């Protein structure tokens, strides 16, 4: 959803917030606060040109950590970044939800 975000109404950000886990929403919400966080701290995720799934590590029966490499849009100068999504499935029928997204600091290159 973030890859196809409309900057006029941030519909992709709203859809992403819909897929956040209850715990994630409690920390990052409400939606206007979440949208500000994405714009200010994670602009590379917005309208990225491409992404590549690098790995998925099962942390438990209902938890995964997924590493993804993104190539930002032209406004981001085609910058690349690697992020880790922490996902969980509560078993309540709502499916997989995002618990957290963070830059993969281990992938940062030294100058």
């Amino acid at each position: 959803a973030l890859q196809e975000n409309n900057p006029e109404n941030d519909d992709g950000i709203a859809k992403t917030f819909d897929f956040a886990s209850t715990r994630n929403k409690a920390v990052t919400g409400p939606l206007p606060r979440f949208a500000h966080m994405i714009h200010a701290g994670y602009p590379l995720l917005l309208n990225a040109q491409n992404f590549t799934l690098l790995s998925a590590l099962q942390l438990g029966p209902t938890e995964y950590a997924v590493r993804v490499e993104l190539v930002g849009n032209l406004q981001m100068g085609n910058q690349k970044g690697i992020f880790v999504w922490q996902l969980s499935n509560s078993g309540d029928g709502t499916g997989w939800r995002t618990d957290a997204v963070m830059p993969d600091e281990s992938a940062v290159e030294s100058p």
Side-chain angles (χ1 to χ4, degrees):
L2 292 177
Q3 193 175 15
E4 298 178 4
N5 185 60
N6 179 340
E8 292 182 17
N9 63 13
D10 282 337
D11 61 338
I13 292 175
K15 180 56 103 178
T16 299
F17 188 69
D18 287 345
F19 282 94
S21 68
T22 303
R23 291 179 302 196
N24 187 344
K25 286 179 178 179
V27 173
T28 61
L31 178 57
R33 182 173 179 231
F34 182 80
H36 176 74
M37 178 191 71
I38 297 295
H39 282 288
Y42 297 86
L44 190 63
L45 301 180
L46 294 170
N47 304 103
Q49 289 184 55
N50 195 5
F51 68 91
T52 303
L53 178 64
L54 299 175
S55 63
L57 175 66
Q58 188 170 9
L59 303 174
T62 61
E63 296 178 278
Y64 275 85
V66 180
R67 287 181 76 230
V68 177
E69 180 180 54
L70 296 167
V71 178
N73 61 37
L74 294 176
Q75 289 178 317
M76 295 300 298
N78 300 322
Q79 179 183 351
K80 290 184 179 181
I82 296 178
F83 294 84
V84 176
W85 267 257
Q86 290 184 335
L87 308 173
S88 64
N89 187 332
S90 65
D92 63 2
T94 60
W96 290 92
R97 300 293 176 169
T98 303
D99 292 324
V101 177
M102 63 208 82
D104 184 348
E105 300 297 338
S106 69
V108 176
E109 296 180 15
S110 301

